[in-house]
Amino acid sequence: AVFCSTLVPSDEVTIEYKHGLPVITVPLPSRQERCWFSVKPMLMTVGGFLQDIRNEDKGIDNIAVFTADDSKISAATLMEDVLRNEFKLVINKLTYHVQPPVIERMSSERAAGMEDVKTLVHKLYSALYLEEHQLQKERELLEKLDSLREQLHPLEQVKANILQCSEAKSTRLLWIGMAFMSTQAGALAWLTWWVYSWDIMEPVTYFLTYGTALGFYAYLMLTKQDYIYADAKDRQFLHYFHRRAKRKRFDVDKYNQLREEMEEVEEDLRRLRSSLHLHIPVQQINWKE
């Protein structure tokens, strides 16, 4: 709703700049006094400014900001945008026409000079403090790396033992499969040439082959993978690894997390040392607390 009034307010809303910040003087209706409100244009929104006025005068029921053509300004709008043009401040039934002061724009030559000064100050700061800051960060990273290595050392020993046992079991399983297939081939040859004839053994070998195909198909249905000997060995190795890790109470998730953190620290340390050797600032390094 737009609140308008034909009454002429007894006082006006004024804006003046003090120490580089706009100070808005607003008459409070209940307290019958003028109050200063310091505004940070690039940070404060219209909603925050209006809330500050309400906090000073609890007797304010309706307050809003409108443009010069009576369009309401949303509460999320930055005060920087509002202060560029004339606007209206409506408090209860009083409408205040506010005319912000004209800010003198900086000339292009002066702006270029200010940019040169900023660049010079940045270079001076980098020359004086940046290398010391990088050395301090290097010490922090080295301390964190040592802490991670201490946490990983006992886990690495347990992992090495689990890997060794899992590799031995999966290799043993391959040799057992090799022995079974060799025994089967020898048995079929013995039955074919010494006990029975090929006419009798041919249906047996057919059903053995068909049964093997069914086994491979069942493996595909259960694992969603083709039966490849190397992949089957890796799958069995992981099965043995996780089963033994659970028995040894080896936390795989914690181990992986520590390894990832250590790799990140080593990468940050490598990039930091590279920048120290080249005497240039580190670019886009995300420091982790």
Side-chain angles (χ1 to χ4, degrees):
V2 178
F3 300 92
C4 300
S5 173
T6 58
L7 299 176
V8 179
S10 59
D11 210 341
E12 297 294 336
V13 176
T14 60
I15 302 177
E16 58 180 339
Y17 281 81
K18 294 183 178 182
H19 306 291
L21 293 177
V23 177
I24 304 178
T25 304
V26 179
L28 302 179
S30 300
R31 296 164 51 177
Q32 297 297 322
E33 61 183 7
R34 295 167 62 82
C35 185
W36 288 1
F37 294 92
S38 182
V39 176
K40 295 180 180 179
M42 293 185 293
L43 299 178
M44 180 175 287
T45 61
V46 172
F49 172 63
L50 299 181
Q51 186 61 41
D52 289 343
I53 299 177
R54 284 196 180 96
N55 294 337
E56 289 295 329
D57 192 343
K58 302 298 182 182
I60 297 177
D61 296 327
N62 299 300
I63 184 171
V65 178
F66 297 86
T67 61
D69 57 355
D70 294 330
S71 298
K72 188 174 182 180
I73 301 177
S74 67
T77 305
L78 291 175
M79 289 297 296
E80 181 184 17
D81 299 329
V82 177
L83 295 176
R84 291 176 180 173
N85 303 300
E86 180 183 355
F87 63 93
K88 297 179 182 179
L89 178 63
V90 178
I91 302 178
N92 290 343
K93 295 183 179 181
L94 297 178
T95 301
Y96 298 93
H97 296 268
V98 186
Q99 181 64 47
V102 179
I103 303 175
E104 182 181 357
R105 294 188 177 274
M106 188 181 299
S107 62
S108 59
E109 294 80 4
R110 187 180 177 186
M114 291 295 294
E115 289 296 329
D116 293 340
V117 172
K118 291 180 181 178
T119 304
L120 182 60
V121 171
H122 176 71
K123 290 181 178 179
L124 182 61
Y125 176 83
S126 300
L128 293 176
Y129 300 105
L130 188 58
E131 186 171 356
E132 180 181 355
H133 174 73
Q134 290 178 331
L135 291 175
Q136 180 182 356
K137 287 297 182 181
E138 183 182 15
R139 288 192 294 268
E140 293 177 0
L141 288 174
L142 288 174
E143 292 176 359
K144 187 174 182 180
L145 186 61
D146 292 338
S147 176
L148 291 173
R149 285 175 176 172
E150 290 179 0
Q151 298 180 56
L152 278 171
H153 182 66
L155 296 178
E156 290 285 2
Q157 293 180 342
V158 177
K159 179 193 172 186
N161 179 264
I162 295 175
L163 287 175
Q164 183 179 3
C165 295
S166 302
E167 180 67 24
K169 283 190 174 182
S170 57
T171 304
R172 188 183 306 121
L173 186 63
L174 289 179
W175 282 108
I176 291 175
M178 180 67 181
F180 174 77
M181 294 178 66
S182 300
T183 303
Q184 184 185 61
L188 291 175
W190 178 68
L191 291 174
T192 302
W193 283 300
W194 281 276
V195 179
Y196 304 110
S197 64
W198 173 247
D199 294 334
I200 297 176
M201 294 303 300
E202 183 179 9
V204 176
T205 57
Y206 170 78
F207 282 107
L208 284 175
T209 305
Y210 189 77
T212 304
L214 285 178
F216 290 158
Y217 189 79
Y219 180 87
L220 174 65
M221 295 295 294
L222 293 175
T223 63
K224 310 301 181 184
Q225 295 178 351
D226 291 335
Y227 188 83
I228 302 174
Y229 292 112
D231 294 343
K233 177 184 178 296
D234 293 340
R235 185 180 183 86
Q236 197 63 33
F237 171 82
L238 291 176
H239 172 71
Y240 288 140
F241 178 85
H242 286 282
R243 188 172 66 179
R244 191 169 184 83
K246 186 176 180 180
R247 188 184 309 166
K248 294 287 186 178
R249 297 182 180 179
F250 177 77
D251 194 341
V252 179
D253 294 334
K254 180 181 179 181
Y255 174 81
N256 291 334
Q257 181 181 358
L258 291 175
R259 289 292 304 181
E260 290 176 0
E261 291 181 5
M262 190 173 73
E263 290 176 0
E264 291 177 0
V265 172
E266 289 177 346
E267 177 64 18
D268 291 342
L269 189 60
R270 183 189 63 79
R271 297 173 64 181
L272 179 63
R273 286 174 172 172
S274 176
S275 66
L276 285 174
H277 294 161
L278 296 176
H279 299 286
I280 59 175
V282 181
Q283 300 294 329
Q284 299 178 352
I285 290 186
N286 298 322
W287 301 107
K288 296 185 179 294
E289 295 297 330

